[in-house]
């Protein structure tokens, strides 16, 4: 029932009236509630080879056809309440949802500017499924109109839509390709979270928490019973303030790395002191990570990771640490001033000389293998400069002449052998352990992988073939999160059957873009979709050792 | 008059009656590529639109059975009218459906009268909410430009393409002989040739089109022949001659007895 155009606006001359679909009357709509829901079985018996004009064949054919036309002629009937209204805006090329999304929102669509949106192919698929009602200029679109409008060339074309709907009908979750979500294998190895939104949220949260409250998670230090001769600047009084905390602790470099991640809060509360690092002997010159256990000020850590806001109270360039190394021993340590120490701790002066003598006194007990190794390596470990002849050489040329002379002396009485000839043997006798090794020496071709040799030059050129979709498996639907979809099952490139096979450069570029996710090529041939993929394959080595 | 909508080289037919006419009266099958209304979430049976081969579309245009059009657009002048009509249709349809629903309910209550009387003491039945009506699609008048398929255009890039011409001549010749042809990409050929409707009959040939002067490498011949034999079809090599006829050569893999 097409209303005849009574308006004076004429269509252009020669324009053809496109027949419209059938409108169901209210009676038909009401009757559609009770129509058949099941699909009839496909086969009507075996197919026949030759038509013989018999009645039986004709009848069967008629039945098949009738069933087909009945199925095709059915119009979609949905309850109005179950339809989600959506609006198509050709300028943006997206569909905006006007009422709340249904179950499909879990795997389809995206949020933008506070509104729920769908990509054109998703909207068209949902329209075909009968989940949404698509409006354009206040009138609902029929599927015919939607095909015409939504599948323009600028958006994903007809071929892409065919592949998309095919995969969606099979149950896969299909999203548009997002190159930013590709996580390199290195990142995955380090367990870095993918997606900047996710990680930045987490980081921000953690940072905020750290900044807001002072670090109360410091472990209680173990108060030392015996005051060890810790390194203390004896010339300067390291005023540890009136807090009841033990002396300075020197830290080893390992703890420094842990500390560097913490943001220091220069709050005025008392810091429960860190667990002191027992550095026996104190023979090291620290990199300056000194930690005051009881200081109320911020930590004077002048390592790079610290973001200390205030300047440290002590100027470490002026504080001299005693050097107790063997080249300049300062082994007499005076007692610290009693007012610097807490009340119940007594300190005394110490002479560390006997301690230093005892260092490295114990004989290293090498295992048998290590001993043999040392013995084997030792003969060659001789100092070049200890040779008097080398000492006599005054220049590099003289040295090289000396080497040449020595080599000639060594070899002048050697028997003629294969290695003196211009053409030397391929392998040393000890090397040829198996035929495989021999063959490897003469191999001309090396195995290479598809992603080898991909550099910037290759990535810049953008051919016509691009990755279209990320595919996720059907069984992960319940745990699928649009913001953090995880690693896709496969990525899809779509091309028509008549287009040429992609060349090696395109293949390399696409596999590199895809990362370690398998790449599948979907070829659409007049409604038939075939999937192909290229896989790295290593030829097995044919020889048994 | 059948209308075939063409876009970016793809020819689509909407309308079940059109598809029926094409198949039953003209022997042009096409392939269904859309979702089926009854079961949109399965791949076994697909629904409208019907996708035609470029050769099929051109044949229909040549014999005058269908018109190729492009870019159908609804009439913009009728916009306000259409919106008003839509809303009015919704309301009237809703009212009518409600009336039908009440009527159906009344009849059902009558049928189950005794059961209702038994349970009436317990329950208190209030007037039930009128149910939501169903939704029907509202078609609008759309006008489209006819396509000139003699000349290449963005919507119809096949015109003048020598490969297309070649295939078209073979298609036309086989169609005139009464065969049913579909796309043969699955079997490594250009067409699959059926003696009757593909719904009931197996294909007899896999047709491969070759230009008359082209060299045919033996390896291609062997692979095509192998393919055909594996699926129990005869390979048909078709090449249109300059005089208008088409020469056919069939190939069957035979073993020495």
């Amino acid at each position: 029932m097409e209303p005849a155009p009574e308006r004076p606006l004429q269509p252009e001359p020669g324009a053809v009236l496109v027949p419209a679909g059938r409108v169901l009357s209210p009676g038909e709509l009401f009757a559609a509630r009770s129509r058949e829901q099941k699909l009839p079985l496909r086969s009507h018996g075996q197919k026949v080879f030759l038509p013989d004009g018999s009645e039986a064949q004709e009848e069967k054919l008629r039945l098949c056809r009738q069933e087909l036309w009945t199925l095709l002629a059915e119009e979609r009937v949905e309850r109005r309440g179950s339809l989600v209204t959506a609006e198509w805006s050709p300028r943006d090329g997206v569909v905006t949802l006007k009422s709340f999304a249904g179950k499909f929102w879990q795997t389809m669509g995206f949020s933008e500017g506070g509104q729920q949106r769908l990509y054109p192919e998703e909207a068209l698929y949902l329209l075909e499924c009968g989940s949404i009602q698509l409006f354009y200029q206040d009138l609902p679109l029929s599927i015919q109109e939607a095909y015409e409008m939504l599948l323009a060339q600028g958006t994903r074309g007809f071929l892409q839509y065919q592949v998309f709907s095919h995969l969606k009908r099979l149950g896969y979750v299909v999203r548009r390709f997002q190159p930013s979500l590709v996580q390199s294998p290195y990142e995955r190895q380090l367990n870095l979270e993918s997606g900047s939104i996710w990680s930045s949220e987490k980081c921000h949260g953690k940072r905020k928490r750290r900044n807001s409250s002072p670090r109360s998670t410091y472990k209680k230090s173990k108060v030392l019973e015996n005051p060890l001769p810790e390194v203390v600047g004896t010339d300067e009084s390291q005023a540890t303030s009136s807090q009841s905390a033990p002396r300075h602790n020197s830290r080893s470099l390992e703890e420094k790395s842990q500390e560097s991640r913490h943001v220091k809060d220069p709050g005025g509360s008392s810091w429960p002191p860190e667990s002191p690092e027992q550095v026996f002997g104190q023979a090291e010159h620290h990199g300056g990570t000194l930690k005051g256990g009881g200081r109320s000020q911020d930590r004077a850590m002048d390592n790079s990771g610290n973001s200390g806001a205030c300047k440290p109270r002590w100027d470490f360039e002026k504080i001299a640490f005693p050097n107790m190394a063997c080249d300049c021993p300062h082994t007499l340590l005076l007692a610290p001033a009693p007012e610097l120490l807490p009340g119940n701790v007594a300190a005394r002066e110490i002479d560390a000389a006997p301690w230093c003598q005892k260092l490295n006194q114990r004989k290293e007990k090498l295992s048998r293998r290590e001993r043999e190794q040392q013995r084997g390596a030792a003969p060659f470990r001789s100092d070049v400069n200890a040779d008097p002849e080398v000492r006599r050489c005054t220049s590099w040329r003289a040295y090289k002449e000396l080497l040449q002379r020595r080599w000639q002396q060594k070899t002048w009485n050697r028997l003629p052998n294969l290695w003196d000839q211009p053409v030397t043997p391929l392998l040393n006798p000890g090397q040829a352990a198996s035929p495989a090794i021999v063959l490897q020496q003469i191999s001309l071709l090396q195995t290479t992988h598809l992603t080898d040799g991909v550099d910037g030059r290759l990535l810049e050129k953008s051919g016509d073939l691009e990755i279209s979709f990320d595919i996720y498996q059907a069984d992960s639907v319940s745990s699928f999160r649009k913001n953090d979809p995880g690693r896709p099952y496969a990525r899809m490139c779509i091309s028509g059957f008549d287009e040429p096979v992609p060349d090696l450069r395109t293949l390399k570029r696409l596999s590199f873009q895809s990362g370690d996710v398998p790449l599948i090529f979907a070829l659409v041939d007049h409604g038939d979709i075939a999937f192909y993929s290229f896989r790295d394959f290593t030829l097995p080595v044919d020889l048994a050792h | 008059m059948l209308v075939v909508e063409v876009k970016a080289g793809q020819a689509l037919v909407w309308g079940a009656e059109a598809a029926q006419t094409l198949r039953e009266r003209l022997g042009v099958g096409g392939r269904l590529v859309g979702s089926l209304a009854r079961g949109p979430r399965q791949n076994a049976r697909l629904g409208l639109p019907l996708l035609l081969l470029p050769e099929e579309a051109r044949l229909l245009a040549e014999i005058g059975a269908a018109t190729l059009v492009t870019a159908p657009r609804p009439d913009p002048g009728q916009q306000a009218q259409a919106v008003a009509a839509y809303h009015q249709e919704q309301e009237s349809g809703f009212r009518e459906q409600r009336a039908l629903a009440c009527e159906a309910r009344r009849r059902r209550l009558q049928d189950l009268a005794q059961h209702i009387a038994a349970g009436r003491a317990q329950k208190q039945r209030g007037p039930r909410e009128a149910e939501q009506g169903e939704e029907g699609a509202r078609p609008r008048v759309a006008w489209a430009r006819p396509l000139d398929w003699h000349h290449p255009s963005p919507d119809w890039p096949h015109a003048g393409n020598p490969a297309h011409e070649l295939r078209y001549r073979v298609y036309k010749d086989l169609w005139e002989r009464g065969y049913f042809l579909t796309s043969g990409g699955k079997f490594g050929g250009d067409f699959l040739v059926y003696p009757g409707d593909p719904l009931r009959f197996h294909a007899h040939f896999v047709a491969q089109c070759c230009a008359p002067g082209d060299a045919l490498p033996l390896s291609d011949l062997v692979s095509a022949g192998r393919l055909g034999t594996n699926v129990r079809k005869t390979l048909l090599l078709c090449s249109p001659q300059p005089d208008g006829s088409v020469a056919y050569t069939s190939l069957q893999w035979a073993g020495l007895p």
Side-chain angles (χ1 to χ4, degrees):
Chain A
M1 85 186 210
E2 296 126 41
E6 58 247 15
R7 284 286 212 92
L9 190 77
Q10 281 95 7
E12 42 186 75
V16 179
L17 182 69
V18 177
R22 203 162 57 93
V23 167
L24 297 182
S25 70
E28 286 175 314
L29 286 174
F30 188 72
R33 290 188 196 184
S34 50
R35 72 180 176 191
E36 182 73 44
Q37 291 291 331
K38 281 199 315 196
L39 285 173
L41 288 172
R42 185 141 198 169
S43 67
H44 283 258
Q46 288 273 1
K47 279 200 198 177
V48 191
F49 191 69
L50 263 185
D52 53 7
S54 66
E55 274 301 313
Q57 276 190 0
E58 288 292 328
E59 183 57 28
K60 273 234 160 104
L61 180 61
R62 199 189 59 79
L63 278 174
C64 281
R65 282 178 166 174
Q66 194 53 47
E67 186 189 85
L68 184 61
W69 309 134
T70 321
L71 279 178
L72 290 186
E74 271 181 2
E75 301 280 346
R76 288 171 172 81
V77 174
E78 295 290 329
R79 301 192 81 110
R80 186 157 55 167
S82 63
L83 287 172
V84 176
T85 31
E87 171 122 17
W88 161 246
S89 77
R91 228 174 339 126
D92 308 325
V94 287
V95 168
T96 317
L97 293 181
K98 291 285 177 240
S99 53
F100 288 114
K103 200 154 173 267
F104 59 81
W105 187 248
Q106 203 181 9
T107 52
M108 290 200 264
F110 62 102
S111 289
E112 190 189 336
Q115 289 190 313
Q116 294 179 320
R117 306 232 163 142
L118 288 173
Y119 288 114
E121 68 266 10
E122 296 173 334
L124 190 54
Y125 173 70
L126 288 171
L127 185 68
E128 285 199 296
C129 283
S131 309
I132 70 170
Q133 202 182 8
L134 203 52
F135 281 89
Y136 178 60
Q137 293 179 343
D138 297 326
L139 283 176
L141 291 178
S142 66
I143 298 187
Q144 184 176 1
E145 291 170 329
Y147 261 79
E148 170 64 34
M149 299 179 96
L150 266 62
L151 296 181
Q153 269 311 324
T155 62
R156 307 294 159 137
F158 187 63
L159 291 183
Q160 268 95 342
Y161 177 66
Q162 277 188 294
V163 176
F164 177 86
S165 57
H166 178 89
L167 291 169
K168 287 296 293 184
R169 285 193 282 261
L170 286 173
Y172 289 99
V173 176
V174 185
R175 305 280 295 167
R176 284 205 182 171
F177 174 55
Q178 275 168 303
S180 56
L181 284 185
V182 175
Q183 204 183 32
S184 67
Y186 181 63
E187 282 175 326
R188 194 165 296 120
Q189 214 177 359
L190 296 183
N191 270 333
L192 278 177
E193 262 95 26
S194 65
S196 52
I197 320 158
W198 205 188
S199 53
S200 71
E201 264 177 20
K202 275 184 108 167
C203 284
H204 272 246
K206 277 199 179 143
R207 267 194 223 117
K208 280 202 193 105
R209 261 181 268 138
R210 280 189 203 148
N211 275 328
S212 52
S213 64
R215 277 191 57 80
S216 52
T217 56
Y218 277 30
K219 298 194 238 328
K220 283 278 180 205
S221 77
K222 305 180 190 55
V223 178
L224 300 173
E225 299 305 323
N226 309 332
L228 288 175
E230 318 263 40
V231 175
V232 170
T234 52
D235 37 7
E236 238 136 358
S237 57
Q238 306 277 338
T240 51
S241 86
S242 50
Q243 315 287 337
S244 61
R247 75 289 306 153
H248 307 117
N249 300 319
S250 56
R251 317 216 101 226
S252 66
L253 289 171
E254 296 93 73
E255 272 213 21
K256 177 168 92 161
S257 60
Q258 285 171 20
E259 281 297 305
S260 62
R261 271 194 284 131
H262 306 325
V263 175
K264 300 299 164 266
D265 185 1
S269 56
S270 72
W271 293 103
E274 296 282 325
S275 54
E277 192 67 31
Q278 320 266 349
V279 181
F280 194 85
Q282 312 298 319
E284 305 162 294
H285 234 299
H286 333 276
T289 29
L290 188 74
K291 194 88 167 326
R295 269 181 278 151
S296 61
Q297 299 293 327
D298 49 296
R299 312 243 164 247
M301 307 218 340
D302 55 342
N303 55 351
S304 54
N306 186 25
S307 60
C310 304
K311 270 180 66 81
R313 214 169 82 178
W314 286 272
D315 184 6
F316 284 99
E317 275 149 27
K318 302 235 181 55
I319 299 175
F321 289 96
N323 178 6
M324 301 180 79
C326 55
D327 52 342
C328 181
H330 177 164
T331 48
L332 183 65
L333 299 171
L334 300 172
E339 59 263 18
L340 298 176
L341 297 170
N344 53 345
V345 176
R348 54 176 206 279
E349 98 174 12
I350 194 153
D351 183 7
W355 293 104
C356 291
Q357 274 175 1
K358 286 197 194 146
L359 283 177
N360 296 333
Q361 296 265 326
R362 234 167 33 142
K363 275 208 165 32
E364 201 186 341
K365 229 189 200 172
L366 294 171
S367 72
R368 188 208 195 120
R369 202 190 321 160
E370 283 172 2
R371 259 180 277 143
E372 281 174 9
Q373 267 184 3
Q374 272 197 346
R375 220 180 302 135
F380 302 119
R381 213 185 290 150
S382 56
D383 197 2
V384 169
N385 291 327
D387 195 344
E389 282 192 34
V390 172
R391 286 232 172 108
R392 256 181 269 133
C393 295
T394 49
S395 68
W396 272 109
R397 181 187 300 193
Y399 178 63
K400 285 196 173 167
E401 284 169 7
L402 173 67
L403 288 180
Q404 182 81 2
R405 255 182 288 132
R406 282 193 178 163
W407 187 81
Q408 271 178 351
Q409 277 175 349
K410 222 190 313 182
T411 62
W412 76 275
N413 57 352
R414 261 210 311 217
L415 293 170
N417 57 17
L418 294 171
W419 273 269
D420 288 339
Q421 296 169 4
V423 179
T424 57
L426 186 66
L427 297 167
N428 289 328
Q431 262 182 313
S434 71
I437 299 180
V438 179
L439 283 183
Q440 209 172 346
Q441 296 284 333
I442 59 173
S443 73
L444 293 170
L445 303 171
Q446 305 281 339
T447 40
T448 174
H449 294 285
L450 200 57
T451 43
D452 285 346
V454 179
D455 56 359
R457 213 166 20 103
L458 208 65
L459 292 176
E460 264 171 21
K461 170 189 175 2
S462 101
D464 16 327
L465 205 55
E466 295 293 335
I467 304 182
S468 304
F469 296 122
D470 288 339
I471 318 285
Y472 301 88
Q473 277 202 298
D475 52 4
S476 64
V477 165
S478 52
S479 62
F480 186 76
R481 299 277 167 267
K482 278 188 291 192
N483 285 334
D484 180 26
R487 186 165 172 263
Y489 173 65
R491 294 205 161 99
M492 195 78 52
C493 275
I494 300 168
S495 90
F497 206 65
D498 302 322
E499 288 168 35
V501 179
D503 56 352
L504 187 60
R505 169 179 258 192
T506 318
L507 280 180
K508 273 186 179 283
R509 177 174 59 85
L510 292 174
S511 343
F512 184 76
Q513 271 183 344
S514 166
D516 55 348
V517 172
L519 187 63
I520 302 182
F521 290 84
L523 295 186
V524 188
D525 166 44
H526 191 253
D528 268 332
I529 307 179
F531 298 100
Y532 299 94
S533 71
F534 292 93
R535 263 193 293 178
D536 263 334
F537 177 71
T538 326
L539 281 177
V541 177
D542 196 22
L543 298 167
H545 315 326
Chain B
M1 183 55 152
L2 288 173
V3 167
V4 174
E5 294 180 32
V6 174
K7 185 166 174 183
Q10 315 274 350
L12 297 176
V13 174
W14 297 89
E17 298 82 21
Q20 185 173 5
T21 315
L22 284 177
R23 196 177 194 110
E24 291 187 351
R25 287 218 335 249
L26 291 168
V28 171
R31 181 162 298 169
L32 296 166
V33 291
S35 303
L36 193 64
R38 199 186 270 193
R41 288 193 170 87
Q42 44 84 36
N43 259 331
R45 291 196 104 136
L46 295 176
L48 292 173
L50 188 75
L51 178 67
L52 296 178
L53 285 170
E55 293 82 35
E56 291 172 331
R58 183 173 159 183
L59 178 78
L60 292 173
E62 261 193 17
I63 65 177
T67 320
L68 300 184
V69 298
T70 173
R73 295 271 173 269
D75 201 347
Q78 297 217 317
Q79 176 66 20
Q81 213 179 21
V83 175
Y86 166 65
H87 288 302
Q88 196 216 352
E89 181 88 7
Q90 289 271 80
E91 283 306 309
S92 69
F94 186 53
R95 264 183 271 121
E96 204 170 319
Q97 282 190 57
R98 195 160 41 185
L100 283 169
C102 289
E103 176 65 32
R105 188 165 157 266
R106 194 182 56 76
R107 253 183 277 120
R108 194 153 171 272
L109 286 179
Q110 266 181 342
D111 293 338
L112 302 170
Q114 53 267 48
H115 294 277
I116 291 168
R120 180 157 282 192
Q122 270 70 25
K123 288 192 213 158
Q124 193 215 1
R125 282 197 192 213
R128 208 158 32 148
E129 277 301 314
E131 288 154 17
Q132 295 263 313
E134 262 81 4
E135 190 68 21
R138 164 128 191 92
R140 275 177 293 174
V141 174
W143 294 96
R145 269 197 310 272
L147 178 79
D148 177 15
W149 47 268
H150 297 280
H151 302 107
S153 59
D155 276 333
W156 189 250
H158 308 287
N161 193 358
H164 170 73
E165 292 292 324
L166 179 70
R167 287 167 54 123
Y168 176 69
R169 284 188 56 191
V170 175
Y171 182 90
K172 181 158 186 190
D173 193 71
L174 285 171
W175 181 80
E176 281 170 349
R177 288 165 192 259
Y179 289 105
F180 208 109
L181 294 158
T182 55
S183 158
K186 259 191 300 199
F187 292 95
D190 285 313
F191 301 112
L192 279 181
V193 184
Y194 292 83
D197 195 316
L199 284 174
R200 287 308 303 158
F201 301 106
H202 286 299
H204 281 182
F205 305 110
V206 176
Q208 207 164 38
C209 306
C210 333
D214 266 357
L216 202 61
L218 190 61
S219 53
D220 284 358
L221 212 57
V222 168
S223 58
R226 274 285 193 186
L227 258 175
T229 311
N230 274 344
V231 295
R232 271 180 272 137
K233 296 183 203 316
T234 310
L235 176 70
L236 197 68
L237 299 169
C238 326
S239 73
Q241 303 297 306
D243 63 354
S245 64
V246 183
Y248 297 102
T249 316
S250 70
L251 216 73
Q252 239 178 351
W253 208 261
L256 282 177

